[in-house]
Amino acid sequence: MPPDSKIAIIGFGAFGQLVARHLRDHAPICVCDPVVRVNDLPQVTAEVAAQCEVVILAMPLSRMREVLLRIAGHLRPGTLVIDVCSVKLRPAQLMLELLPEHVELVSSHPLFGPQSAADGLSGHRIAWCPLRGRRHLMAVAMMRKLGLRVMITTPEQHDRDMAVVQGLTHLIARSLSKLGPMPSRLATASFQQLLLAAGMVQGDSPELLRTILNDNPYAKEIRDRFLTAASEAADVG
Amino acid sequence: MPPDSKIAIIGFGAFGQLVARHLRDHAPICVCDPVVRVNDLPQVTAEVAAQCEVVILAMPLSRMREVLLRIAGHLRPGTLVIDVCSVKLRPAQLMLELLPEHVELVSSHPLFGPQSAADGLSGHRIAWCPLRGRRHLMAVAMMRKLGLRVMITTPEQHDRDMAVVQGLTHLIARSLSKLGPMPSRLATASFQQLLLAAGMVQGDSPELLRTILNDNPYAKEIRDRFLTAASEAADVG
């Protein structure tokens, strides 16, 4: 992005805050969130979106439609709009449907969170689905400068892969949580690794969990295949 | 163990070989295995057991009864017999039932394997269930010198914990294997950890898998609870 681009972050939850921390030395940032400004939020959001060259949508998927409807008529031609949801088909569809032709679009998914990126962004990956326009290439260059690995893909391929990657990790982590306290004295190295993997996502919000398990159109099929495989695996004859 | 103790290793699979590698600088070692000596194995095994102060049983659980019957009448008073199975209730019961009162008994489970201990034993754990006699304390002292963490427990507590620790790790690893190739381009840190955990046990032998999943009396209950939890976890409403 040109050095004077203003960046709007709409939605200031755990991920919006992470984005702000990493971008604040590189560009002026405006933040909108119900927690930060409540009374005149719709108007403020529209104004902010109108003033910024880049708009990052970091609200939960369930709020995206209303935000898109609110900002659609205010975005200037050439504005780059980027969402950061954990699924990609549905947000991409919403942005293409609700935002005007004159804005440029990317649907992205940073494959890290506040916990895994606690020591910095370097080496972490972001899934990147360009939907419209070429202005996103400046954002790609900037992310690469920050050490991120930008993985170009499509919303469909993303959701297919994430149905396995996030769908199964969260399913397994959630199932282990439900079993209660885990043994710790007699632990094997592989079991310790397993608990480490589960622990990395057990703090994720219920909202994120719903997105990963319910809003990914391929998640149910993968989950069913895993449950069948697990039932069969249990039967070793 | 006194420095001149001779150690018999009966069963020279992956684990027997690991034991031999780590003990050969500390004591004279005799090995018996169908692969090494076939024709006169029963006689050789009995002779070796009769000559050694320590006998390590490193054969699969399914072969333990026949080996115990073969050596029982030849063991000298005070011999220390140690098994290294991945379950403990059943081997402990077999040893107590089939070996004479004058031998000392420990049922143990090294919580590591050739892969996890490739860089050495230091820091790894061994579950240790003393069943009869006090001579095992010399073995404990020696293992601590090798850097092992000796976790004293009972066969019952061991099997309860391992139904979770090994039962679930293997169940999850086996289920993931059955799903085919995993995505690698779009991987989160937690998913990479999960695959790492699974990869550590996916090379284990079918014999070991059967022991862990079938010969642990608590494994089925834990597996059923995990499968129920996973079915429920899939339903996030």
Side-chain angles (χ1 to χ4, degrees), chain A residues 172 194 226-236, chain B residues 163-178 198 201-202 209 212-213 219-220 222-227 230:
Chain A
I172 290 167
L194 180 66
F226 177 80
L227 289 173
T228 304
S231 300
E232 289 171 4
D235 181 18
V236 284
Chain B
V164 177
V165 169
Q166 292 198 292
L168 293 186
T169 308
H170 279 77
L171 180 68
I172 290 166
R174 201 151 180 248
S175 307
L176 292 175
S177 294
K178 281 169 179 266
V201 302
Q202 277 162 346
L209 193 68
I212 288 169
L213 296 182
K220 185 174 177 340
I222 294 293
R223 222 152 52 216
D224 289 347
R225 285 182 54 208
F226 177 80
L227 289 173

Side-chain angles (χ1 to χ4, degrees), chain B residues 10 15 55-59 61 64 68 80-93 95 99 104-110 126-129 131 155:
Chain B
I10 305 182
F15 200 81
V55 176
I56 297 176
L57 305 172
M59 77 291 298
L61 177 57
M64 189 175 286
L68 291 175
L80 177 62
V81 180
I82 308 169
D83 88 290
V84 297
C85 273
S86 298
V87 293
K88 295 276 57 81
L89 273 169
R90 183 70 186 133
Q93 188 184 30
M95 289 195 296
L99 297 186
E104 305 205 352
L105 300 175
V106 173
S107 204
S108 84
H109 178 198
I126 181 167
W128 193 255
C129 311
L131 302 178

Side-chain angles (χ1 to χ4, degrees), chain B residues 182-218:
Chain B
M182 294 280 114
S184 59
R185 232 181 130 240
L186 302 186
T188 55
S190 49
F191 182 68
Q192 288 171 315
Q193 287 283 357
L194 180 65
L195 292 188
L196 200 62
M200 289 173 80
V201 302
Q202 277 162 346
D204 285 351
S205 69
E207 180 83 46
L208 176 56
L209 193 68
R210 269 192 296 276
T211 298
I212 288 169
L213 296 182
N214 287 353
D215 297 326
N216 183 323
Y218 307 106

